[in-house]
Amino acid sequence: LKRLKTKVPVTVVESYEDLPPAVYSKIQDEGVDVQGVAYQGQVYLVASQLSTLQEAERVLLDHELRHIGLRELLGRDLGPVLTRAFYGRAHSKIMQFARERGLRTDSRTDSMTAAEEYIVNLAETKQENTLLQKVYAAIRDFLRRMGFKIELADVDLRDIVSRAGSLIERGNRSV
């Protein structure tokens, strides 16, 4: 895992007992099994609960995305996709989507947020199209550059994009 260039600090611990005391206590109180947790801006992976490197990468990706968000995780990789979506063939659909939800599109930031929310909606409602395929390709390219070896099917990527929507709704864009 050391080869991965993550945006969140990652610590691999051998067992639950090696987690920060507050996290360990909560796991004991709730009686749950976890493979990884995010705590105070850091992701902890529990080695004894992970059988393969691929499983560790999946847990890390899930926690990193859940606490950062799609646009922040992908950064410059997603920007061109959002820009092409907003100003390209999907423009009228994004504008209609924005109007229906009361989203602003006056500034570039607002336009990109509307495009991102439109894409998340496509994933949440399981509407497959070329725009989502471009987002999936951007995610795959990004993960390869970050050092991830995990192969994700479209259904996995749809889930990643869908989960990013809950961050938009909650306004949770930071670790």
Side-chain angles (χ1 to χ4, degrees):
L1 287 176
K2 289 182 180 183
R3 67 179 157 61
L4 299 178
K5 302 172 193 137
T6 61
K7 295 194 177 200
V8 174
V10 178
T11 300
V12 179
V13 298
E14 183 55 38
S15 67
Y16 296 139
E17 292 82 15
D18 301 319
L19 290 168
V23 175
Y24 177 64
S25 177
K26 185 171 182 170
I27 289 171
Q28 282 189 311
D29 291 347
E30 293 180 7
V32 295
D33 288 328
V34 298
Q35 297 173 307
V37 295
Y39 179 70
Q40 295 185 341
Q42 186 166 341
V43 173
Y44 293 87
L45 298 177
V46 183
S48 62
Q49 300 298 310
L50 299 164
S51 2
T52 66
L53 179 60
Q54 190 171 35
E55 193 174 36
E57 287 183 357
R58 187 176 301 274
V59 171
L60 176 58
L61 176 62
D62 179 57
H63 281 287
E64 196 163 21
L65 176 73
R66 187 180 300 157
H67 296 279
I68 293 178
L70 188 61
R71 201 175 339 170
E72 283 74 12
L73 182 66
L74 298 180
R76 62 183 167 83
D77 295 290
L78 189 61
V81 175
L82 294 176
T83 300
R84 282 193 303 272
F86 187 80
Y87 295 106
R89 291 190 332 213
H91 181 76
S92 61
K93 291 180 181 177
I94 294 170
M95 291 301 289
Q96 179 182 347
F97 177 84
R99 277 192 301 279
E100 290 170 358
R101 285 161 180 77
L103 301 173
R104 298 179 58 128
T105 56
D106 302 339
S107 70
R108 177 168 171 71
T109 301
D110 291 339
S111 299
M112 295 305 101
T113 299
E116 183 179 12
E117 290 195 33
Y118 174 74
I119 289 167
V120 167
N121 181 262
L122 291 176
E124 288 175 339
T125 56
K126 297 179 170 70
Q127 299 178 48
E128 291 301 325
N129 67 22
T130 56
L131 179 55
L132 268 181
Q133 291 300 319
K134 289 175 184 175
V135 172
Y136 298 166
I139 294 170
R140 284 183 177 112
D141 289 345
F142 170 81
L143 292 175
R144 275 191 287 276
R145 281 195 320 280
M146 295 295 286
F148 283 81
K149 302 234 185 269
I150 189 170
E151 291 294 326
L152 296 171
D154 285 0
V155 68
D156 299 317
L157 294 167
R158 183 183 323 116
D159 185 51
I160 287 169
V161 174
S162 294
R163 283 194 315 255
S166 64
L167 293 177
I168 295 170
E169 291 165 14
R170 290 193 319 259
N172 181 10
R173 292 221 172 255
S174 62
V175 176

